Amino acid sequence: YYGLSMRAEGVRFQWKDEKSHSAQSFDKERVQKLFDGLKGKEAVISSVKKAPKRTEAPLLYDLTELQREASRRYDYSAKETLNIMQRLYENHKVLTYPRTDSRYLTADILPTIKERIRACSIGPYKLLAGRLINQPLPAKPSFVNDKKVSDHHAIIPTEQFVQLDHMTIDERRIYDLVVRRFLAVLLPPFTYEEIRLTMTVDGETFTARGKIVKDQGWKAAYSRFTLE
């Protein structure tokens, strides 16, 4: 298939067929004719639409979701991830029980949250964790739901003091995933303004979409010091 794009003021606009509302066409001759005919023509902004948007932090990890993430990021097999988790749980005692199918916490865990934040307030997490210790917990945490926890709650840090230099690189990677997700759910939503622009060039429509970040929110937990 074929399409057209236009760059104006550093923004890339995509052509959209008025009849099919598609940005793609199988008619090469038609697209080529449009390309030749539109070059050098004046583009006029015909529409600007703005809308506030927000996204909540992803849920805490259960074992399956953690295995998926470790596979995507580090190419670990499900068994490798479980073995690493077992070491972090049994030997280092810095993460909770790994064999869980829940992504929520029970209400009785809430009083321990500050101690868990304090325990992981080290290295790359120190600034963010330090900030969270001095802030009140969310009034109605979305990650707390007793009805969605059967035998074991989601995987989170324990209150055990952490020594990163005692961990292997594999252990640090899995610990990093869990801690960042734990800190993320304690932060506010990521908020931004979505902007949709429509340009008209000699009767043809081109559109572009962008966003202006208002508050990093939970994404601050992932914005810096990512382990490779």
Side-chain angles (χ1 to χ4, degrees):
Y1 57 84
Y2 303 89
L4 289 171
S5 65
M6 171 183 67
R7 184 176 291 277
E9 300 296 329
V11 178
R12 183 176 291 279
F13 291 79
Q14 196 74 31
W15 170 74
K16 181 180 286 188
D17 189 303
E18 280 296 306
K19 291 183 179 179
S20 66
H21 301 291
S22 173
Q24 303 163 357
S25 173
F26 292 103
D27 189 341
K28 182 180 180 180
E29 289 185 9
R30 181 192 174 206
V31 174
Q32 185 65 53
K33 188 176 179 180
L34 283 171
F35 177 75
D36 294 336
L38 295 176
K39 280 195 299 186
K41 295 289 179 70
E42 185 179 63
V44 179
I45 294 178
S46 56
S47 171
V48 178
K49 294 182 180 179
K50 298 180 180 181
K53 300 282 184 177
R54 58 185 278 163
T55 60
E56 303 289 338
L59 290 172
L60 295 165
Y61 287 119
D62 62 6
L63 178 59
T64 301
E65 189 62 24
L66 182 59
Q67 287 170 325
R68 286 198 191 107
E69 186 78 357
S71 173
R72 185 179 69 83
R73 285 178 178 261
Y74 304 118
D75 201 29
Y76 293 160
S77 69
K79 185 177 181 180
E80 284 175 320
T81 300
L82 177 58
N83 288 340
I84 296 166
M85 271 296 304
Q86 285 291 144
R87 296 200 300 271
L88 290 166
Y89 168 64
E90 295 176 357
N91 301 345
H92 297 281
K93 303 186 188 306
V94 294
L95 295 183
T96 56
Y97 188 72
R99 295 174 185 268
T100 175
D101 60 358
S102 178
R103 302 184 67 183
Y104 292 86
L105 302 180
T106 49
D108 62 325
I109 298 295
L110 275 178
T112 71
I113 292 292
K114 287 295 180 79
E115 281 305 309
R116 295 171 193 270
I117 298 173
R118 191 169 284 108
C120 61
S121 180
I122 56 167
Y125 325 109
K126 189 172 183 178
L127 288 177
L128 184 56
R131 196 177 93 198
L132 286 169
I133 287 172
N134 296 317
Q135 293 180 356
L137 293 175
K140 294 182 178 181
S142 59
F143 54 88
V144 175
N145 190 327
D146 287 20
K147 294 179 180 179
K148 293 189 177 182
V149 179
S150 51
D151 295 329
H152 301 281
H153 59 68
I155 301 168
I156 58 173
T158 65
E159 296 114 301
Q160 175 68 36
F161 174 72
V162 178
Q163 291 179 286
L164 293 177
D165 57 344
H166 287 192
M167 296 182 189
T168 65
I169 184 61
D170 295 331
E171 290 167 350
R172 282 202 60 181
R173 284 172 171 172
I174 297 301
Y175 180 76
D176 183 74
L177 290 178
V178 174
V179 170
R180 289 183 189 277
R181 183 62 62 89
F182 173 65
L183 297 176
V185 300
L186 298 169
L187 291 166
F190 170 68
T191 58
Y192 62 97
E193 184 176 61
E194 185 179 78
I195 302 173
R196 296 187 182 188
L197 298 174
T198 302
M199 284 272 214
T200 303
V201 187
D202 198 26
E204 295 295 326
T205 300
F206 290 76
T207 62
R209 179 182 296 182
K211 64 184 178 185
I212 298 174
V213 175
K214 297 297 184 180
D215 187 343
Q216 279 286 102
W218 62 267
K219 290 199 174 187
Y222 295 93
S223 60
R224 296 172 63 195
F225 307 112
T226 302
L227 290 179
E228 297 298 334

